[in-house]
Amino acid sequence: MNKFAETLTIDNAVLAMIDHQTGLLVSCRDQDPHLMTENIKGLCAMAKAVDMPTVITASMPDGPNGPIMPEIIDILGDKVIERAGEINAWKSPEFKQAIEATGRKKIIMAGLVTDVCLMFPAISAVAEGYDVYAVVDASGTWNNAVAQASIHRMTQAGVKVATWASVLAEVMDDWRSEKGMELGGILGQHTSYRWVYNSYLQASQS
């Protein structure tokens, strides 16, 4: 099967949240910051709901980039790989080992900023045989032109560009699955799908 036709499942993927740090958040202007925060929270909630292995890393959190945003910690816990100086997270032995320890070859990846913290490790992981899904709406950068340039370069390198709702639906696969309704609820909580989902819940209770 062509690798671009393969799908994500609960059992074949790991989530990597890279450098979603408070100091970097203020620089992200390519999308509405409140929407971006909801996208990040939704992606994390999806992983938690299906017990997907997750690796969180921060670049020098005691420096200007600041700590990991509290919304991620609240959902996924406070186990964070704090890198001493590597800009490209893939060059951090601790980060790379944490990914390898999951035994999974598909990496769902998001990061701030898109053109550095997401793009560099995404390209590096692909070069070593991993199948990377770059979740661009749970990432952010300086402006839209930078975001588009990053998407083009990642695509040229074989990274699969994705959105968090698409990833959730791909992992869910079937509304009748064990986690189907819970994942639908997460989608409703963090997107305008909430009106569809709430309408269904009200109708089913009547």
Side-chain angles (χ1 to χ4, degrees):
M1 179 185 291
N2 184 300
K3 72 173 184 176
F4 291 99
E6 294 175 357
T7 58
L8 292 165
T9 71
I10 290 174
D11 301 315
N12 70 7
V14 53
L15 174 65
M17 300 298 289
I18 303 172
D19 301 351
H20 289 83
Q21 296 167 247
T22 56
L24 295 173
L25 281 167
V26 297
S27 300
C28 296
R29 293 291 181 267
D30 60 318
Q31 60 178 314
D32 178 84
H34 300 291
L35 175 60
M36 182 179 68
T37 300
E38 289 303 309
N39 295 340
I40 291 167
K41 290 163 61 178
L43 182 62
C44 292
M46 178 279 296
K48 182 177 181 181
V50 300
D51 295 320
M52 183 178 291
T54 303
V55 179
I56 307 169
T57 185
S59 173
M60 297 181 64
D62 294 331
N65 291 348
I68 291 292
M69 55 191 292
E71 291 87 348
I72 292 177
I73 300 300
D74 289 344
I75 297 170
L76 297 177
D78 59 0
K79 186 178 180 181
V80 178
I81 296 171
E82 299 182 352
R83 306 195 310 282
E86 302 95 342
I87 293 175
N88 182 347
W90 199 254
K91 293 184 177 181
S92 161
E94 294 81 8
F95 175 79
K96 189 174 177 180
Q97 288 165 9
I99 296 291
E100 291 172 342
T102 69
R104 303 185 177 198
K105 299 295 286 186
K106 289 183 179 288
I107 309 174
I108 301 167
M109 210 180 263
L112 302 183
V113 290
T114 308
D115 50 314
V116 177
C117 307
L118 171 60
M119 187 176 73
F120 290 174
I123 291 174
S124 296
V126 165
E128 295 190 21
Y130 284 85
D131 195 12
V132 178
Y133 294 69
V135 186
V136 292
D137 62 346
S139 306
T141 190
W142 322 104
N143 55 57
N144 188 59
V146 174
Q148 291 303 311
S150 306
I151 289 170
H152 285 303
R153 186 176 173 191
M154 287 190 289
T155 302
Q156 290 163 350
V159 178
K160 296 174 179 175
V161 175
T163 62
W164 86 268
S166 175
V167 166
L168 179 146
E170 194 168 341
V171 168
M172 180 167 69
D173 187 53
D174 191 320
W175 279 102
R176 297 164 297 180
S177 66
E178 181 182 354
K179 297 290 185 177
M181 292 305 296
E182 183 178 357
L183 290 173
I186 291 169
L187 186 64
Q189 183 178 355
H190 299 286
T191 73
S192 57
Y193 188 72
R194 66 174 57 90
W195 290 290
V196 177
Y197 191 75
N198 289 343
S199 177
Y200 165 76
L201 291 180
Q202 290 173 1
S204 64
Q205 293 168 2
S206 60

